[in-house]
């Protein structure tokens, strides 16, 4: 028997689809419902490796955690990883299958992926009581409707009711709700059950006349008004947001344990991937994390992080153009801490041979670590476990570059020379004991009287965040109506709003 379901669509990108989907998953699982998240097609540079070695979007991994289930490739069968403004790597069922231009993808390849996407959704619906699907962008992108495999395309095929989320903080939410509905075909409109207002500030009673008028205009109700809540942007698809910093600063009063704060500067390299790596640093009381793109901004940093990127050679050129490369070389010579992760680790090495990602051939690295990198056609996808600084460490690897380490001290399959550290492991800083040991080393190297808090648990903070999302749904949405929608589908006889679209 096929389980219940819901598609969470949005009036725009970044309307809050990811966090609303996670919140619904957490609310349902707390009610004893066996639930799974799903996103047919995701475009993101923030990805994760499942236990079976498949690469999926980090947002879906976060939603799986909200649902208290293990993430799998079924939950995000198609992942697009941009390599430029015009092309992306296509990852199907967790494995890369090629590089395509946007025109090539939407011109035919996308439609070919419809059947495997639907097969994944149906397998999940046969296994779980409910599947909460996340859309992408807006369902009213009429230029892309014919090849859609993530919004109304799957809603129509799977007969899923659709809840449209709008960000009222941006303004114009009533026009967005009405216009989104009115630009859909009659068949698509029949599945749009109603709306959810996100990021509302103020007295809800002032909004209610508009919601009543929206009901009169569209025949569709609003299922809830979620208040603006800081610090909820966990594992987002894109954007520069340190997701847990706000939660730590706002939910608890957490001054530094030692006498000093520790300042971390993250180089905002092009095609930056998995910048969520620094969330665990930002969760520490007394650690201040910021993204930078100018050499001057490294001057007062106690630690500089060169993060992952989908374009290591492009990132190297960017670092050199902006003077950041010279600043990093000076830091290393002065014994001031630098950490390179994945593409950032590769950039810190001596030499890169890339005939795969950039096809630039031989390129000199920054020469801060005794490492030579050769890009391989096959991508490394792994969930390593190891030890560093006397602590157990878990991480995950996603890279084409194969590193040959020629010296230095071993560090998480990478190496360390003085105050410069490099590893391919994403997520290592989420291991609490290791993070504390690493920050103690950084503080000593930087000459700061910073002391890591003895009891910060990144996993506990993450769970608290997911519970906050569940609380938002439970306290500010009509959960009885939402449950009926998930179990029974869209109401019959919803009115058509002209003009519609093909």
């Amino acid at each position: 028997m096929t389980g219940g379901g819901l598609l969470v669509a949005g009036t725009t990108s970044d309307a809050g689809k990811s966090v609303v989907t996670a919140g619904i998953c957490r609310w349902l699982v707390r009610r004893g419902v066996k639930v799974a998240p799903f996103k047919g097609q995701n475009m993101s540079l923030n990805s994760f490796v499942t236990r079976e070695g498949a690469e999926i979007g980090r947002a879906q991994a976060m939603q799986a955690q909200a649902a208290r289930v293990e993430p799998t490739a079924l939950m995000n069968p198609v992942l697009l990883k941009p390599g430029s403004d015009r092309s992306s790597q296509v990852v199907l069922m967790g494995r890369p299958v090629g590089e395509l231009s946007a025109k090539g993808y939407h011109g035919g390849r996308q439609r070919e992926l419809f059947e495997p996407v639907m097969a994944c959704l149906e397998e999940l619906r046969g296994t779980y009581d409910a599947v909460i699907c996340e859309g992408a962008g807006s369902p009213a992108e009429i230029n892309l409707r014919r090849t859609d495999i993530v919004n109304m395309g799957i809603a129509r095929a799977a007969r899923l009711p659709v809840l449209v989320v709008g960000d009222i903080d941006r303004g114009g939410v009533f026009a967005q709700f009405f216009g989104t509905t009115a630009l859909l075909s009659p068949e698509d409109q029949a599945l749009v059950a109603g709306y959810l207002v996100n990021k509302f500030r103020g007295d809800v009673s002032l909004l209610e006349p508009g919601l009543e008028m929206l009901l009169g205009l569209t025949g569709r109700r609003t299922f809830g008004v979620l208040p603006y809540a800081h610090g909820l942007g966990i594992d987002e698809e894109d954007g520069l947001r340190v997701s847990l910093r706000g939660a730590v600063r706002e939910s608890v009063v957490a001054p530094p344990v030692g006498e000093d704060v520790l300042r971390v500067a993250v180089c905002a390299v092009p095609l930056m991937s998995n910048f969520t790596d620094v969330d665990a640093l930002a969760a520490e009381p007394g650690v201040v994390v910021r993204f930078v793109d100018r050499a001057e901004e490294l001057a007062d940093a106690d630690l500089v992080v060169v993060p992952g990127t989908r374009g290591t050679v492009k990132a190297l050129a960017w670092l050199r153009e902006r003077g950041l490369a010279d600043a990093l070389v000076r830091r290393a010579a002065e014994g001031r801490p630098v950490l390179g992760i994945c593409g950032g680790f590769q950039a810190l090495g001596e030499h890169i041979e890339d005939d795969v990602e950039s096809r630039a051939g031989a390129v000199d690295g920054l020469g801060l670590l005794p490492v030579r990198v050769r890009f391989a056609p096959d991508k490394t996808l792994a969930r390593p476990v190891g030890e560093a600084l006397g602590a157990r460490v878990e991480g995950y690897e996603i890279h084409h570059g194969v590193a040959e380490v020629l010296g230095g001290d071993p560090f998480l399959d990478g190496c360390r020379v003085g105050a410069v550290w490099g590893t391919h492991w994403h997520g290592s800083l989420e291991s609490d004991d290791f993070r504390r040991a690493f920050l103690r080393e950084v503080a000593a190297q930087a000459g700061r009287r910073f002391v890591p808090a003895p009891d910060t648990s990144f996993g506990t903070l993450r769970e608290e965040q997911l519970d906050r999302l569940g609380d938002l749904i439970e306290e500010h949405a009509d959960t009885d109506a939402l449950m009926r929608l998930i179990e029974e589908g869209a109401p019959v006889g919803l009115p058509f709003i002209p003009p519609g679209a093909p």
Side-chain angles (χ1 to χ4, degrees):
M1 179 180 175
T2 298
L6 176 70
L7 175 70
V8 179
T11 57
T12 62
S13 295
D14 201 31
K17 296 184 294 291
S18 295
V19 293
V20 167
T21 300
I24 293 174
C25 285
R26 178 50 59 102
W27 159 66
L28 285 172
V29 77
R30 293 195 306 206
R31 290 188 58 162
V33 177
K34 186 181 179 185
V35 59
F38 177 80
K39 185 162 185 172
Q41 170 198 294
N42 196 348
M43 177 174 278
S44 179
L45 287 170
N46 285 331
S47 58
F48 180 76
V49 178
T50 67
R51 293 208 179 277
E52 75 265 36
E55 184 180 8
I56 66 172
R58 273 199 69 105
Q60 279 61 65
M62 175 268 290
Q63 291 160 358
Q65 186 175 349
R68 296 181 180 146
V69 296
E70 190 66 34
T72 73
L74 292 172
M75 297 171 185
N76 180 206
V78 179
L79 174 64
L80 305 178
K81 303 194 72 175
S84 69
D85 290 340
R86 294 180 175 271
S87 67
S88 294
Q89 183 180 67
V90 181
V91 179
L92 176 62
M93 292 303 295
R95 296 285 171 181
V97 294
E99 197 93 12
L100 278 179
S101 67
K103 185 175 181 180
Y105 182 70
H106 290 289
R109 184 62 195 274
Q110 186 181 32
R111 194 65 192 176
E112 295 173 12
L113 299 173
F114 184 75
E115 286 190 13
V117 165
M118 286 304 302
C120 290
L121 176 57
E122 289 308 309
E123 185 171 342
L124 288 174
R125 294 186 77 189
T127 306
Y128 291 87
D129 300 331
V131 178
I132 308 303
C133 306
E134 180 188 346
S138 162
E141 290 166 348
I142 55 178
N143 56 315
L144 304 177
R145 176 62 183 89
R146 185 178 59 83
T147 57
D148 172 43
I149 63 171
V150 67
N151 289 309
M152 300 312 299
I154 67 162
R156 281 267 293 278
R159 304 305 301 169
L160 290 172
V162 178
L163 180 69
V164 181
V165 178
D167 179 358
I168 196 170
D169 196 52
R170 293 181 174 186
V173 75
F174 294 117
Q176 292 170 22
F177 284 145
F178 184 87
T180 296
T181 309
L183 278 179
L184 300 177
S185 68
E187 295 81 4
D188 286 352
Q189 286 193 27
L191 294 172
V192 176
Y195 313 110
L196 186 75
V197 176
N198 193 27
K199 301 182 186 177
F200 179 72
R201 305 173 190 253
D203 186 345
V204 175
S205 66
L206 299 176
L207 190 65
E208 287 171 354
L211 300 180
E212 286 297 319
M213 285 187 273
L214 184 66
L215 174 61
L217 288 166
T218 67
R220 290 159 174 85
R221 59 167 299 171
T222 298
F223 283 78
V225 178
L226 307 187
Y228 193 103
H230 294 278
L232 294 179
I234 47 181
D235 289 1
E236 297 193 277
E237 294 177 1
D238 294 295
L240 296 182
R241 186 171 300 169
V242 181
S243 57
L244 287 174
R245 183 198 305 177
V248 172
R249 297 290 182 266
E250 293 158 19
S251 61
V252 293
V253 178
V257 175
E259 297 178 45
D260 289 343
V261 298
L262 206 65
R263 294 175 175 84
V264 179
V266 184
C267 297
V269 296
L271 299 174
M272 182 165 47
S273 61
N274 289 69
F275 50 82
T276 47
D277 282 332
V278 299
D279 284 354
L281 295 179
E284 285 284 349
V287 175
V288 180
V289 178
R290 66 182 188 272
F291 290 89
V292 304
D293 59 5
R294 293 166 30 144
E296 298 83 6
E297 295 176 291
L298 303 190
D300 67 343
D302 302 306
L303 169 67
V304 175
V305 178
V306 187
T309 171
R310 249 282 275 159
T312 300
V313 170
K314 182 180 289 189
L316 264 170
W318 182 88
L319 290 168
R320 287 179 167 126
E321 288 165 4
R322 291 176 171 264
L324 287 158
D326 290 339
L328 288 168
V329 171
R330 287 194 299 272
R331 284 186 69 89
E334 294 165 1
R336 302 175 67 198
V338 176
L339 170 65
I341 302 175
C342 200
F345 164 46
Q346 297 165 6
L348 298 181
E350 296 173 352
H351 185 78
I352 294 171
E353 198 73 36
D354 181 10
D355 296 318
V356 176
E357 191 173 77
S358 69
R359 296 179 174 83
V363 177
D364 288 333
L366 299 185
L368 304 185
L369 291 173
V371 173
R372 298 178 72 86
V373 176
R374 176 185 54 82
F375 276 70
D378 295 331
K379 182 184 284 190
T380 297
L381 296 169
R383 289 278 292 268
V385 177
E387 185 175 304
L389 303 178
R392 186 176 186 274
V393 187
E394 295 184 25
Y396 58 99
E397 295 183 64
I398 306 169
H399 54 91
H400 283 280
V402 178
E404 181 185 6
V405 179
L406 303 172
D409 297 319
F411 175 67
L412 301 179
D413 290 342
C415 66
R416 169 191 180 182
V417 175
V420 182
W421 317 64
T423 177
H424 270 135
W425 291 22
H426 294 290
S428 62
L429 293 166
E430 296 180 18
S431 298
D432 296 328
D433 289 340
F434 166 70
R435 182 180 65 255
R436 285 191 273 270
F438 176 71
L439 289 175
R440 281 192 289 270
E441 289 256 358
V442 167
Q445 291 171 336
R448 293 287 185 187
R449 291 171 293 183
F450 168 85
V451 178
D455 55 357
T456 302
S457 166
F458 186 79
T460 299
L461 287 170
R462 170 67 53 95
E463 279 297 303
E464 289 174 358
Q465 289 286 76
L466 295 172
D467 276 332
R468 286 182 68 200
L469 295 180
D471 292 343
L472 282 175
I473 298 299
E474 193 163 333
E475 296 168 9
H476 301 282
D478 184 339
T479 51
D480 289 340
L482 202 55
M483 185 64 82
R484 285 194 299 273
L485 194 62
I486 292 167
E487 292 176 343
E488 301 171 10
V492 176
L494 291 167
F496 170 68
I497 310 302

